[in-house]
Amino acid sequence: MAYTVLIVDDSSFFQQRLKDIVNSSAELKVIGIASNGQEAIEMADKLKPDVITMDYEMPMLDGVSAVKAILVKRQVPIVMLSSLTFEGARITLDALAAGAVDFIPKNFSEISQNSSTLKKRIHTTLITFARQFKAQAIADQRYSHEPNTIAQNTVAQNTVTTSARSAPFSSPLVSGAGLDKHYSSSNLLRASPTVLSATDSKNNDNAADVYLPRNATILVIGASTGGPVAVHKVLEGLPAGFALPIVVIQHMPENFTKALAERLDRVCALRAKEAENGDKLIPGLVLVAPGGQQLMFDPHNKGAIKILPGDDRVSYKPSVDIALASVANAFGQQAFAIILTGMGADGCEGAKILKQKGGVLWSQNKDSCVVYGMPKAVADAGLSDCVLNLEAMGAALSRRR
């Protein structure tokens, strides 16, 4: 049975094109079209779609306000259609903060030309979130009748394990941007990831001492879908005098990363800016990798930032894999990285290099992810030293002086 979709857009042209694109997938079916935010609220309540596409600039009620109102009544995945302008990026971040799960760049030429790339992205995004939310709703309904199971799962989730094991693995390093190398190792230590709850991080100083890499001199955070909100939650509790420079690799187009940096600078105690070529790494400064380009570290200039043109051979621009491999080569055992929510597995190959060089890696747990893709990849590969929810992650980091 197809997942049902509500389209919200004030342009009749976009309404029709989106309807055609959505209905071209056997797994999706448009069940309604709203022309403004107020209509969207009413139709979402009446039709109860599995997923909603939402424009942001509309008469009567804007998209951000509509997102907030819809989510008060019912949890449903809402995907924003976003202009590639800076203003569009700023409003998109407001929508994500309000509860939208993701965004798709709204490009007139791509939609009018029936771009296969755009069509695939729309299909993949809508199906992924519709399936995920429906599965969660079914699980919640089932577990509501099984309180003992919930209690057991909670205890298991909050358990701290410290066992380690050795296991062989080998894999190619990331290609592109000067990283065309390969490595393999038959005796790399792969620890069973430690699972740390928010209570553990707040109440156990000794545990925090164990989990935090005291010799780290840089922190790199990689994220994709759900990342802007997750990054904010991790950084919001850190003091202005935080001891490490922080570099954020977030999958986003240009303009969006600049807007993200400005938002972080506004809402966090830390200073934040979009990274530029030659930027120095300063404790307490957050540098956001620019969209459409690649960020690396110069090992000959105290790890200064290098910004390189995006290469079409590399899927993600910026790429977490490239940044992690580069920080591992520049900082070795002093490199510290965190993988947050996101589709796919970007970061897993770079994490292998980081671990080979002696760096430390944390990853976000499943329950607090919008999409458990990137963190799952590193955890399943045995590369994550610690698996935490967002609250525990921020609390633990705040102990790092």
Side-chain angles (χ1 to χ4, degrees):
M1 188 172 179
Y3 297 112
T4 56
V5 182
L6 172 63
I7 292 173
V8 185
D9 201 294
D10 66 336
S11 164
S12 57
F13 169 77
F14 278 109
Q15 289 175 0
Q16 188 57 52
R17 292 300 301 121
L18 282 171
K19 181 180 178 180
D20 293 342
I21 290 173
V22 171
N23 284 340
S24 66
S25 168
E27 296 184 71
L28 298 168
K29 179 183 179 181
V30 175
I31 59 167
I33 297 177
S35 298
N36 58 66
Q38 187 56 48
E39 275 189 12
I41 296 170
E42 296 166 1
M43 294 181 74
D45 190 41
K46 178 182 178 181
L47 300 175
K48 294 180 172 45
D50 294 319
V51 62
I52 298 172
T53 69
M54 180 75 70
D55 192 12
Y56 63 81
E57 190 172 353
M58 297 178 291
M60 295 185 65
L61 192 69
D62 64 89
V64 177
S65 299
V67 168
K68 293 177 182 178
I70 290 170
L71 294 179
V72 166
K73 295 185 176 182
R74 175 172 174 259
Q75 288 301 303
V76 57
I78 302 175
V79 178
M80 302 301 295
L81 295 178
S82 305
S83 164
L84 289 171
T85 64
F86 179 78
E87 181 64 13
R90 186 189 64 77
I91 295 172
T92 299
L93 291 174
D94 289 342
L96 294 175
V101 294
D102 200 5
F103 68 94
I104 296 175
K106 188 175 183 180
N107 187 307
F108 180 84
S109 63
E110 278 194 309
I111 291 181
S112 61
Q113 294 171 13
N114 197 25
S115 163
S116 59
T117 301
L118 178 64
K119 183 182 295 186
K120 181 179 179 181
R121 177 168 184 179
I122 290 174
H123 290 169
T124 299
T125 302
L126 298 186
I127 291 169
T128 296
F129 285 111
R131 179 184 295 134
Q132 177 178 308
F133 271 63
K134 180 160 284 191
Q136 186 61 52
I138 293 171
D140 289 345
Q141 185 176 24
R142 183 174 70 249
Y143 291 148
S144 67
H145 301 295
E146 301 176 17
N148 290 335
T149 301
I150 296 175
Q152 292 168 5
N153 288 344
T154 301
V155 171
Q157 181 63 35
N158 289 342
T159 299
V160 178
T161 61
T162 56
S163 60
R165 58 189 169 83
S166 294
F169 72 89
S170 62
S171 181
L173 177 59
V174 190
S175 295
L179 294 176
D180 285 323
K181 299 178 182 177
H182 289 78
Y183 84 95
S184 64
S185 174
S186 59
N187 292 302
L188 295 181
L189 181 67
R190 301 175 66 191
S192 298
T194 296
V195 180
L196 180 65
S197 72
T199 303
D200 292 327
S201 68
K202 289 179 179 177
N203 299 335
N204 192 335
D205 289 341
N206 292 330
D209 287 340
V210 172
Y211 302 138
L212 285 170
R214 294 292 167 180
N215 67 329
T217 57
I218 182 171
L219 168 59
V220 177
I221 300 176
S224 186
T225 310
V229 174
V231 169
H232 173 206
K233 288 183 178 179
V234 170
L235 300 183
E236 64 182 348
L238 301 185
F242 187 65
L244 302 179
I246 300 172
V247 176
V248 174
I249 313 296
Q250 168 69 51
H251 293 166
M252 275 185 160
E254 57 183 326
N255 283 331
F256 283 72
T257 47
K258 181 176 175 61
L260 174 61
E262 291 189 359
R263 186 182 186 88
L264 291 174
D265 187 67
R266 187 170 65 253
V267 301
C268 297
L270 301 167
R271 291 178 297 141
K273 67 182 288 289
E274 187 177 50
E276 300 176 75
N277 193 56
D279 273 345
K280 303 297 183 183
L281 298 172
I282 302 171
L285 174 64
V286 179
L287 295 173
V288 179
Q293 302 182 74
Q294 298 296 354
L295 181 146
M296 296 181 67
F297 300 86
D298 187 351
H300 307 296
N301 187 20
K302 297 182 180 180
I305 297 298
K306 295 196 297 183
I307 302 299
L308 305 173
D311 188 326
D312 289 339
R313 294 174 299 176
V314 180
S315 299
Y316 299 107
K317 294 173 266 189
S319 163
V320 182
D321 274 330
I322 287 176
L324 290 191
S326 180
V327 76
N329 288 327
F331 289 87
Q333 294 182 355
Q334 295 178 320
F336 175 26
I338 296 175
I339 302 296
L340 299 178
T341 175
M343 289 187 191
D346 186 30
C348 191
E349 295 300 313
K352 292 175 183 178
I353 310 307
L354 182 121
K355 295 301 297 177
Q356 183 197 35
K357 298 288 186 178
V360 172
L361 185 93
W362 291 0
S363 61
Q364 187 177 349
N365 73 342
K366 181 179 180 179
D367 289 345
S368 63
C369 281
V370 173
V371 176
Y372 189 54
M374 288 165 53
K376 182 179 188 297
V378 295
D380 287 354
L383 301 169
S384 183
D385 296 292
C386 200
V387 176
L388 310 92
N389 63 42
L390 286 177
E391 184 182 354
M393 199 173 286
L397 281 177
S398 66
R399 298 183 184 277
R400 179 64 163 83
R401 303 298 181 185

